[in-house]
Amino acid sequence: MVSSSGLSQYRLTHPEANSTAVNSNTLGNEVTLPSHYVRNLLDLLQSRGGNVEAVLAKAGLPPEGPNQINATLSWQQFHAVIQLCCNEINEPALGLYLGSQLTINTHGMLGLAAISSVNMHEALQLICKYTATRSPLLTLSMRQNQQQVHLTLEELHPLADIRQFVVETFAVTLHATLDFVTGHKYRLRQVQFAFAEPGYSALYQAFFPCPVRFAQPQHRFIFDAADLAIPCPWADRQVQNQLSAQCEQELQRWQQSQSIAGLIRLMLGRTKGRVPCIEKIAAEFAMSSRTLRRRLDNEQTSYHQLITDWRQQMATHYLLTTALPVQQIGFLLGYADPANFGRAFRRENGVSPQQFRAKQQTKCTVDLEK
C-alpha cells in the first residue's frame, strides 16, 4: 500500500516556525489553504456570465485576492467563494466543469513531476505523497491487489455543503491527469462516490468513461493493476528528481506556515480507529510532548480540546453523510466502547447519535417536500 496518510508527512524542519497565536479552535483560523484552483473557478464563473467582483466582495476578498502570487485563503473564505460561485450561476454541477478545465500545468510542480515519471505507478506515488500541496483538505491513498488498484479519496475535514463540489472537481481532474500521464492508455473501470446520487447524475458519463456508483462507503477510483506499468511518454528521470525535490520544499513551506493546532487537526483526519497519544504527535513534529503542549497553549488550545472538537465535527459528518452504524462511527473516532461515544455525543448535542441522525433525516425530507 502506498499512502499519504502517514503522520510522518507532518514532520517540521523548523519546529518553532508556527508560533503565531490563534484565537479560535475552528479550522478557519488554524489552516490557510492555497488558492490555486480558486483562480480557475473564478475564470470559469466569468466565462459563464457570473459577476466575479460581486462574489469576491461577498466573500470578503479584494478584487485581486486569489490572483496574487502565492495567495492563500482561510477556510471561511475558501468555503464562501465556492458557495457563492455555485449560487451565482445556479449550476449544481460546477465542480465537474471546473475539474475538466484544470490542465496538467495548473497543478504546478506536482503536475510536471507526475508527467516526468517513469510510469503511472511512480506518478501516483508522487500524487499521493504531495496532494497536500494542492488540496490540503483531502488525502489520496493507493491500495493494490493482483487484479485491481483502488485509489481512495478521503476528506480530512468536514466539507459541509461544498463537499460534492470539492470531491467532483478533484475526481474529474485526477482522471484527466492519469489519462494524460499514461498517454490516454489507462482504463478506469469504476468510480465510486460516498454522497447520494445527484439529480444531474447522467452528466457524469461525459466526464468518466465507466460506470459511476453513488452512496458508496468511500470516494474511490478502480482500475486494472496492470495499468500501473504504463510508461509515461514524457519520462525524464533527472527532471523528475528535480521537480520532486521542489514538491517536497513546497510541502514543507506550507506546513511551516500553518499553526500547530491546524496541522494536528488535519493529522487527526487521517486517523481511523485509534487516536494517537500526544507523545506520538510530538515525535512527528520532532519535539517533546512538553514543547508541544506549550506551543498549543500559546495558540490558546490543548491536545485534549483538539481531539474533542475533531470528534464532534467528524461524528456529525459521519452521521449526516454516511449510513455507517453508530457503533462503527464510534470506533472510527477512537472510542473503544461505543457507549462512551454515545455519552460524549449526547453531552455535546443534547441528543443521542441515533436521535440526531433521525432528526436531520426528517428535516431533509420535509425540506424536499416543500
Side-chain angles (χ1 to χ4, degrees):
M1 178 180 181
V2 177
S3 172
S4 61
S5 62
L7 296 179
S8 58
Q9 169 171 224
Y10 285 99
R11 188 181 301 279
L12 301 184
T13 304
H14 303 293
E16 294 300 322
N18 301 320
S19 58
T20 302
V22 293
N23 298 314
S24 171
N25 286 329
T26 64
L27 183 68
N29 288 330
E30 292 175 351
V31 174
T32 57
L33 306 172
S35 64
H36 309 303
Y37 306 125
V38 173
R39 306 168 194 173
N40 302 95
L41 173 60
L42 295 174
D43 289 342
L44 177 59
L45 178 70
Q46 189 169 41
S47 72
R48 290 194 166 210
N51 189 331
V52 172
E53 289 76 16
V55 166
L56 291 174
K58 291 178 182 177
L61 292 169
E64 70 280 3
N67 292 317
Q68 296 175 2
I69 298 176
N70 295 327
T72 58
L73 303 175
S74 69
W75 159 251
Q76 288 93 337
Q77 292 170 329
F78 179 77
H79 177 274
V81 168
I82 292 175
Q83 190 178 55
L84 289 165
C85 284
C86 292
N87 293 340
E88 174 73 12
I89 58 174
N90 192 28
E91 176 53 82
L94 194 60
L96 295 176
Y97 290 109
L98 176 61
S100 69
Q101 300 294 310
L102 302 178
T103 65
I104 200 73
N105 290 330
T106 61
H107 305 311
M109 294 298 174
L110 180 55
L112 298 176
I115 64 172
S116 303
S117 301
V118 171
N119 53 34
M120 184 182 182
H121 187 226
E122 188 174 88
L124 271 172
Q125 287 179 308
L126 284 171
I127 294 171
C128 288
K129 184 175 182 180
Y130 295 115
T131 293
T133 64
R134 312 304 296 178
S135 301
L137 298 178
L138 302 171
T139 184
L140 186 68
S141 62
M142 177 168 59
R143 185 181 296 275
Q144 177 186 353
N145 58 36
Q146 289 185 342
Q147 286 78 36
Q148 292 184 327
V149 173
H150 289 186
L151 282 179
T152 301
L153 177 66
E154 294 189 72
E155 304 155 49
L156 299 182
H157 179 76
L159 298 176
D161 51 356
I162 65 170
R163 179 194 191 205
Q164 199 159 304
F165 172 93
V166 172
V167 172
E168 287 177 343
T169 300
F170 190 98
V172 172
T173 197
L174 176 62
H175 167 62
T177 298
L178 298 180
D179 188 53
F180 188 84
V181 163
T182 61
H184 314 293
K185 293 181 179 179
Y186 106 106
R187 297 152 291 180
L188 185 58
R189 297 304 187 186
Q190 188 177 122
V191 179
Q192 300 176 354
F193 292 102
F195 47 75
E197 182 173 355
Y200 54 87
S201 59
L203 186 60
Y204 278 72
Q205 293 306 312
F207 298 91
F208 300 108
C210 64
V212 178
R213 303 282 182 260
F214 299 95
Q216 300 299 303
Q218 293 177 301
H219 312 301
R220 181 173 290 164
F221 274 30
I222 300 175
F223 59 89
D224 295 340
D227 289 357
L228 290 174
I230 296 175
C232 300
W234 301 275
D236 188 315
R237 173 58 66 194
Q238 182 175 359
V239 170
Q240 199 259 12
N241 287 339
Q242 293 173 347
L243 292 171
S244 296
Q246 292 182 51
C247 287
E248 182 64 30
Q249 293 171 6
E250 187 175 354
L251 178 62
Q252 290 187 12
R253 283 196 299 270
W254 178 78
Q255 291 170 357
Q256 292 165 11
S257 70
Q258 308 305 309
S259 70
I260 287 287
L263 290 177
I264 290 175
R265 281 185 182 275
L266 297 182
M267 290 167 68
L268 289 173
R270 300 172 188 273
T271 64
K272 295 292 184 289
R274 185 174 182 179
V275 176
C277 63
I278 191 170
E279 286 77 17
K280 184 172 183 179
I281 293 290
E284 298 300 336
F285 286 120
M287 64 178 70
S288 67
S289 59
R290 181 178 179 180
T291 299
L292 178 56
R293 287 190 177 92
R294 177 175 55 79
R295 295 281 299 279
L296 289 174
D297 186 60
N298 290 340
E299 295 181 4
Q300 300 181 15
T301 188
S302 67
Y303 188 52
H304 174 75
Q305 187 62 53
L306 291 174
I307 292 174
T308 300
D309 292 345
W310 171 76
R311 279 175 162 165
Q312 171 65 18
Q313 291 172 343
M314 292 308 297
T316 302
H317 170 72
Y318 286 133
L319 289 168
L320 296 183
T321 65
T322 76
L324 289 171
V326 170
Q327 182 181 29
Q328 188 63 53
I329 292 174
F331 288 144
L332 286 172
L333 298 180
Y335 290 96
D337 184 349
N340 292 338
F341 167 51
R343 283 192 289 269
F345 190 89
R346 182 184 289 275
R347 186 167 57 249
E348 293 292 330
N349 298 276
V351 295
S352 70
Q354 295 91 336
Q355 291 169 329
F356 178 85
R357 175 179 268 170
K359 182 178 179 180
Q360 294 302 315
Q361 288 174 342
T362 300
K363 181 178 182 300
C364 289
T365 301
V366 172
D367 290 343
L368 288 173
E369 291 176 349
K370 289 181 179 180

